[in-house]
Amino acid sequence: MSLDDNKRLVRQHIDLSWNRGHLALAEKLHSKDFLYKSSFVGHPMASPEFAAMVTKIRTAMPDLEVVVEECVAEGDKVVTWSTLIGTIETPALGYPPSDKVMSISAMAFWTLTPGLQVREICTMFDMESFRAQLGLATRTYAEKALP
């Protein structure tokens, strides 16, 4: 498959899962050994766990929109830089509701199979900015590194 096909698959996955909540369709794009890893989840997730997490987040943030700012492909890898925009209406993943429109930057590293399925997504969110927008305590990176 071409690099453009790879980027199209990733954008389709983001649109189906995060933007539209069509998780059954998104899961059809996953390989049998699919894994999701994230900076805000403490363990790797298989496809059903990923779908449940996205559903939980979309329920808490019904106006959620993920905007892909940049999408780069090389070989079987795709990297996306995205901005998640939305309002937390109900508590989710330990975070309180807020009437503020949140803007969260994320980088995701995608690994695809030769058959054009998503094998792995590894996502890093700017959680300190997210916490600051919620008015929660944050710590500098230097403070976190100290025992």
Side-chain angles (χ1 to χ4, degrees), residues 35 42 120:
L35 276 182
E120 183 174 287

Side-chain angles (χ1 to χ4, degrees), residues 11 16 24 35 39-40 42 52 67 69 73 82 84 88 102 104 113 117 126 134 139:
R11 287 178 183 273
L16 287 172
L35 276 182
S39 61
F40 74 89
V67 178
E69 309 287 353
S82 302
L84 289 76
I88 303 174
M102 311 301 294
I104 309 157
T113 67
Q117 289 185 302
D126 182 356
L134 284 173
R139 294 180 9 192

Side-chain angles (χ1 to χ4, degrees), residues 12-30 34 46-59 64 121:
Q12 178 185 21
H13 188 278
I14 291 168
D15 189 51
L16 287 172
S17 58
W18 293 102
N19 288 339
R20 297 170 66 195
H22 298 310
L23 280 303
L25 292 174
E27 283 189 283
K28 289 184 179 190
L29 302 176
H30 296 172
F34 172 86
S47 189
E49 290 175 290
F50 169 78
M53 177 201 61
V54 172
T55 299
K56 186 181 291 186
I57 292 170
R58 285 186 45 76
T59 299
L64 177 66
I121 308 169

Side-chain angles (χ1 to χ4, degrees), residues 34-87:
F34 172 86
L35 276 182
Y36 177 78
K37 301 172 186 175
S38 172
S39 61
F40 74 89
V41 178
H43 65 282
M45 296 179 163
S47 189
E49 290 175 290
F50 169 78
M53 177 201 61
V54 172
T55 299
K56 186 181 291 186
I57 292 170
R58 285 186 45 76
T59 299
M61 298 178 76
D63 61 345
L64 177 66
E65 180 182 359
V66 176
V67 178
V68 177
E69 309 287 353
E70 192 71 45
C71 186
V72 178
E74 183 175 322
D76 67 346
K77 306 283 189 212
V78 177
V79 177
T80 55
W81 163 41
S82 302
T83 303
L84 289 76
I85 303 165
T87 309

Side-chain angles (χ1 to χ4, degrees), residues 97-117:
S98 173
D99 59 354
K100 299 176 184 174
V101 176
M102 311 301 294
S103 175
I104 309 157
S105 291
M107 295 284 296
F109 297 84
W110 303 68
T111 304
L112 308 179
T113 67
L116 212 56
Q117 289 185 302

